[in-house]
């Protein structure tokens, strides 16, 4: 039997669950890109807020492309479980915050009606870095958006135009993706698109809407059939939308909203004046280390994060990257404990109960390494610090994209390798006219470090 409203009485009493009336909650949040991370992060906080007495913050989830999440959740009345897995055991919770899931392209226009509802005050999104269609310099690639169709920009432009016409106020737009200064990045890109299609709407957007920056932190591996079987054994029904994650959970949001919002602070969300120090720490320390583990681990024949951090060579190298290079590039906020965060990261990576595939982390590297590696390289260069471990990780990524990879720029990278070879690939990628130019430019010592690592990897 599948998890659903009809099967709630079959769930064990020990399963933690919400106690609010789901049917009585109005949709107050629309989430674009309702994948596993959103269900394990933003929806968990919102579910806790409603369980604590906040009302009318149900979430309508929307998949911009795939119907897979809808097919998993619709037969379950959008109910699902989140299981936190640690070495000492598992703990599961039933989540009721998601009201429904739609596919954006469906002809019934449910997404548009929700985005233009007076009850909806917040639009959150996890569309991955490539979903923002940004050029290498960070600006919106308008031609790419035009070609793609059905992007977040198309849906938001149509909805904002309708809200303006109806005399409704603006909304708060919360990017929960791993972009540096993601609120400003979203505002700039959406503003550029609106200026392209309707300059007067761009002015209305700038006046009526807000795009706070955020930092989100939780490791959420792709769920496996074995995970689904484990959850079914624990709760007695099949949950096709189950999420398995770690106990750690953090969300930091800039205090800049267009209107009402959930009382997220009561359930652990940090609402602060400046997100940048937290965001930079997460991008450079956690995400940067994750990418280093992924590309170097794959070259070493490893499969999972916990194996890579436990490797006698790779583990210490990545710890040096975290503490001596990523952490050294940061300017922490008052009271921000970067050393404690580093300690926690090593423990989180080493969790053997949460197998996190390196190949999952390695996807779309061209959209990630600028904020994860190139920004700290530039910051450390300005302080005359060397970064041998980051350069070695960068070399591992270059080896990874020498052959076709799961990356939107894979063809260009393979072509660059074919043309430049190992002796010229650093300039082809990071030189003045390189494919990744504009983020960081290696000096002679950096170039030598990368080339030495490339040679070492090729000798394996």
């Amino acid at each position: 039997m599948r998890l659903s409203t009809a099967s709630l009485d079959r769930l064990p009493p020990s399963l933690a669950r919400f106690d609010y009336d789901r049917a009585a909650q109005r949709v107050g949040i629309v989430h674009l890109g309702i994948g596993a991370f959103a269900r394990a992060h933003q929806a968990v906080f919102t579910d806790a807020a409603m369980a604590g007495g906040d009302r009318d913050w149900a979430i309508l989830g929307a998949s911009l492309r795939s119907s897979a999440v809808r097919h998993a959740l619709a037969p379950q009345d959008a109910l699902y479980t989140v299981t936190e897995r640690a070495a000492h055991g598992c703990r599961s919770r039933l989540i009721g915050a998601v009201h429904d899931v739609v596919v954006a392209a469906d002809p019934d226009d449910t997404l548009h009606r929700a985005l233009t509802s007076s009850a909806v005050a917040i639009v959150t999104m996890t569309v991955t870095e490539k979903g923002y269609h940004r050029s290498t310099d960070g600006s919106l690639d308008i031609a790419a958006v035009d070609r793609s169709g059905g992007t977040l920009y198309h849906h938001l432009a149509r909805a904002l135009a309708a809200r303006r016409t109806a005399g409704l106020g603006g909304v708060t737009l919360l990017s929960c993706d791993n972009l540096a200064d993601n609120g400003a990045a979203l505002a700039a890109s959406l503003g550029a698109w609106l200026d392209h299609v309707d300059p007067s709407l761009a002015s209305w957007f700038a006046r009526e809407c807000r795009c706070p920056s955020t930092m989100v932190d939780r490791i959420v591996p792709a769920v496996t059939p074995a995970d689904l079987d484990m959850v079914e054994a624990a709760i007695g029904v099949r949950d096709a939308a189950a999420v398995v994650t770690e106990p750690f959970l953090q969300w930091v949001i800039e205090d800049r909203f267009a209107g009402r919002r959930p009382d997220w602070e009561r359930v652990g969300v940090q609402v602060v004046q400046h997100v940048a120090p937290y965001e930079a720490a997460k991008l450079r320390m956690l995400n940067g280390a994750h990418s280093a583990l992924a590309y170097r681990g794959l070259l070493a024949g490893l499969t999972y994060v916990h194996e890579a951090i436990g490797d006698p060579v790779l583990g210490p190298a990545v710890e040096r990257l975290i503490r001596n290079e990523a952490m050294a590039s940061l300017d922490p906020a008052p009271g921000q404990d970067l050393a404690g965060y580093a300690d926690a990261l090593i423990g989180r990576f080493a969790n053997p109960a949460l197998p996190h595939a390196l190949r999952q982390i390695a996807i779309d590297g061209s959209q990630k390494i600028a904020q994860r590696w190139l920004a700290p390289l530039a910051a450390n260069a300005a302080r005359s610090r060397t970064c041998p471990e980051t350069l070695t990780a960068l070399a591992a990524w270059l080896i990874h994209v020498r052959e076709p990879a799961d990356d939107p720029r894979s063809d260009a990278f393979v072509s660059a390798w074919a043309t430049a070879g190992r002796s010229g690939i650093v300039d082809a990628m990071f030189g003045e006219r390189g494919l990744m130019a504009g983020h960081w430019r290696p000096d002679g010592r950096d170039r030598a470090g990368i080339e030495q690592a490339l040679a070492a990897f090729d000798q394996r």
Side-chain angles (χ1 to χ4, degrees):
M1 176 175 283
R2 285 283 288 274
L3 174 65
S4 70
T5 303
S7 64
L8 288 179
D9 60 349
R10 293 176 174 262
L11 299 176
S14 59
L15 178 65
R17 67 184 76 187
F18 55 89
D19 59 0
Y20 53 85
D21 182 355
R22 288 185 80 215
Q25 306 309 309
R26 299 181 69 189
V27 171
I29 300 172
V30 173
H31 186 90
L32 305 179
I34 186 78
F37 182 84
R39 302 201 306 279
H41 190 273
Q42 295 94 333
V44 169
F45 279 117
T46 302
D47 186 77
M50 288 197 290
D54 224 346
R55 292 291 177 262
D56 295 330
W57 289 112
I59 300 166
L60 176 76
S63 296
L64 295 183
R65 303 288 182 187
S66 170
S67 60
V69 178
R70 173 163 176 77
H71 288 160
L73 277 169
Q76 301 182 179
D77 303 315
L79 293 166
Y80 67 95
T81 58
V82 172
T83 297
E84 297 176 356
R85 181 183 281 167
H88 57 269
C90 296
R91 181 177 62 182
S92 298
R93 182 175 185 85
L94 180 69
I95 303 297
V98 179
H99 171 77
D100 197 5
V101 174
V102 300
V103 178
D106 283 354
D108 63 5
D109 239 11
T110 302
L111 173 59
H112 181 70
R113 289 198 303 273
L115 288 171
T116 55
S117 165
S118 60
V120 168
I122 297 174
V123 180
T124 52
M125 60 199 76
T126 45
V127 296
T128 75
E129 292 89 339
K130 67 182 176 183
Y132 292 85
H133 297 279
R134 301 170 79 207
S135 302
T136 55
D137 64 359
S139 63
L140 180 67
D141 187 342
I142 290 177
V145 177
D146 269 326
R147 287 193 303 271
S148 297
T151 68
L152 69 94
Y153 303 107
H154 292 89
H155 293 291
L156 291 177
R158 183 184 172 209
L160 294 178
R163 292 183 75 93
R164 178 183 62 173
T165 299
L168 298 175
V171 293
T172 299
L173 300 158
L174 281 176
S175 168
C176 300
D177 288 296
N178 289 321
L179 299 174
D181 201 6
N182 56 11
L186 172 62
S189 293
L190 181 54
W193 178 252
L194 295 177
D195 195 53
H196 173 65
V197 297
D198 182 351
S200 66
L201 184 58
S203 298
W204 183 90
F205 161 70
R207 186 172 62 252
E208 299 289 333
C209 297
R210 296 293 180 269
C211 300
S213 286
T214 73
M215 186 279 277
V216 297
D217 192 354
R218 192 170 219 187
I219 296 172
V220 186
V223 71
T224 67
D227 292 331
L228 299 183
D229 291 342
M230 177 270 294
V231 171
E232 182 174 6
I235 69 173
V237 296
R238 189 71 171 176
D239 178 4
V243 180
V244 178
T245 185
E246 63 172 339
F248 185 91
L249 179 64
Q250 186 180 21
W251 194 4
V252 184
I253 309 175
E254 180 185 7
D255 191 5
R256 198 164 64 88
F257 291 79
R260 68 188 189 95
R261 61 177 176 84
D263 192 4
W264 280 318
E265 296 102 313
R266 290 182 59 192
V267 294
V269 177
Q270 296 166 263
V271 179
V272 301
Q273 290 301 308
H274 303 290
V275 172
Y278 302 91
E279 172 190 76
K282 192 256 183 168
L283 286 170
R284 299 181 189 184
M285 294 175 69
L286 186 154
N287 297 126
H290 251 172
S291 289
L293 289 165
Y295 298 116
R296 291 194 62 179
L298 289 170
L299 282 179
L302 303 173
T303 303
Y304 296 109
V305 168
H306 69 273
E307 295 173 339
I309 199 65
D311 182 86
V313 174
L314 181 51
V318 170
E319 185 166 358
R320 289 192 296 272
L321 182 151
I322 293 172
R323 296 186 189 278
N324 302 341
E325 300 176 13
M327 194 168 86
S329 74
L330 298 167
D331 296 308
Q336 187 179 9
D337 181 6
L338 294 181
Y341 186 54
D343 293 340
L345 285 178
I346 302 302
R348 292 165 67 192
F349 293 160
N351 182 358
L354 193 71
H356 195 180
L358 299 174
R359 289 203 174 277
Q360 180 189 0
I361 299 167
I363 293 171
D364 297 337
S366 68
Q367 310 298 298
K368 301 172 180 177
I369 65 167
Q371 53 267 35
R372 298 183 182 195
W373 293 342
L374 305 188
L377 280 170
N380 280 315
R383 301 171 185 182
S384 300
R385 294 196 184 103
T386 58
C387 298
E389 302 300 348
T390 305
L391 295 176
T392 301
L394 198 58
W397 174 73
L398 288 172
I399 295 290
H400 182 79
V401 298
R402 183 163 59 184
E403 304 296 332
D406 193 344
D407 191 292
R409 305 187 70 188
S410 178
D411 290 346
F413 295 152
V414 171
S415 178
W417 266 103
T419 302
R422 196 174 75 194
S423 63
I425 192 60
V426 176
D427 282 334
M429 288 289 198
F430 304 108
E432 184 177 358
R433 296 181 177 83
L435 293 172
M436 299 292 291
H439 300 291
W440 162 80
R441 188 173 303 172
D443 61 17
R445 184 170 52 182
D446 295 329
R447 184 179 288 102
I450 298 172
E451 290 173 350
Q452 183 178 3
L454 286 172
F457 285 135
D458 274 339
Q459 287 170 7
R460 289 185 176 183

